[in-house]
Amino acid sequence: MDRWKGRVALVTGASVGIGAAICKALVQHGMKVVGCARNVEKIEKLAAECQSAGHSGTLVPYKCDLSNEEEILSMFSAIKTLHQGVDVCINNAGLAHSESLLNGKTDGWRTMIDVNVIALSICTREAYQSMKERKVDDGHIININSMSGHRVVFSADTHFYSATKYAVTALTEGLRQELREAKTHIRATCISPGMVETEFAFRLHSLHPEKAAATYNSMKCLEAIDIASAVTYVLGTPPHVHIGDVQMRPVEQVS
């Protein structure tokens, strides 16, 4: 990770869970991290904790609603002005609504598409353009995907969510191909975790928190730091090594 010291990373969905863990890990490795979310107060608290701990990098909180393209473009413009540009883009933000295919609400489907697919694609495009403009040839775009982007579980609550994550799988491979066609050494990677104990299930089952609790109590789940470790592993590989997808599950998870 030494070559990334002082470089700029953008982490979306940085206020809690996996995103917060990734921010902390990158700051520990000396990176300048722009962490964005709608709830910026939690990122400000994490930034203060990182500073108090004496980490060599810095965490810069940025308030951004990823469902609004103008806010995303404004964020990239601010990063260009303040930090020159993005060297690493980690598309972590994602959400799931319990909206089945037969009875789900269109608004819930649309929100999942807007954040999980469209916002990820906008951030990817803008990050690449930032790298290209500055002739950065060793950048990295990492999409935090899901095992739901590789198989469909028997649960109507997550079928549409799974469709958005299959899209991320396709987008990441498509990105890899376009980067090769562009004759660049910028890398594109998916990290696809199974069950991770975060706020995710409680948000998915907001009307039935006992269902979320039962999900996490059913096994020893992955922790956010495990995914952050996968991110630093991928970033730390030699520049000639391309890792396309890291699939990781709790040992006890069956599906």
Side-chain angles (χ1 to χ4, degrees), residues 34-148:
V34 177
C36 79
R38 287 181 297 180
N39 184 353
V40 78
E41 290 79 14
K42 291 183 178 180
I43 309 176
E44 289 171 344
K45 182 180 178 183
L46 179 59
E49 291 172 2
C50 289
Q51 186 174 17
S52 297
H55 298 322
S56 56
T58 56
L59 175 56
V60 181
Y62 195 95
K63 187 177 178 64
C64 182
D65 180 356
L66 291 170
S67 64
N68 184 323
E69 182 174 8
E70 291 306 313
E71 289 197 22
I72 298 175
L73 297 179
S74 177
M75 174 176 65
F76 273 91
S77 178
I79 293 172
K80 178 179 179 179
T81 300
L82 298 172
H83 312 293
Q84 284 72 58
V86 172
D87 303 308
V88 173
C89 178
I90 300 177
N91 289 307
N92 166 72
L95 53 82
H97 291 303
S98 181
E99 304 290 356
S100 70
L101 301 180
L102 299 183
N103 300 298
K105 295 182 179 64
T106 306
D107 284 348
W109 295 343
R110 186 171 287 115
T111 300
M112 285 185 270
I113 289 285
D114 284 347
V115 175
N116 299 0
V117 180
I118 301 297
L120 175 145
S121 298
I122 295 170
C123 289
T124 295
R125 179 190 68 203
E126 296 305 310
Y128 169 70
Q129 293 299 332
S130 172
M131 296 174 200
K132 181 181 178 184
E133 182 179 282
R134 294 174 296 122
K135 296 181 170 55
V136 170
D137 194 47
D138 65 343
H140 208 139
I141 297 168
I142 299 176
N143 294 328
I144 305 301
N145 195 359
S146 169
M147 284 306 301
S148 291

Side-chain angles (χ1 to χ4, degrees), residues 189-202:
T189 300
C190 257
I191 295 179
S192 302
M195 194 69 67
V196 187
E197 188 167 359
T198 63
E199 295 183 6
F200 182 87
F202 287 98

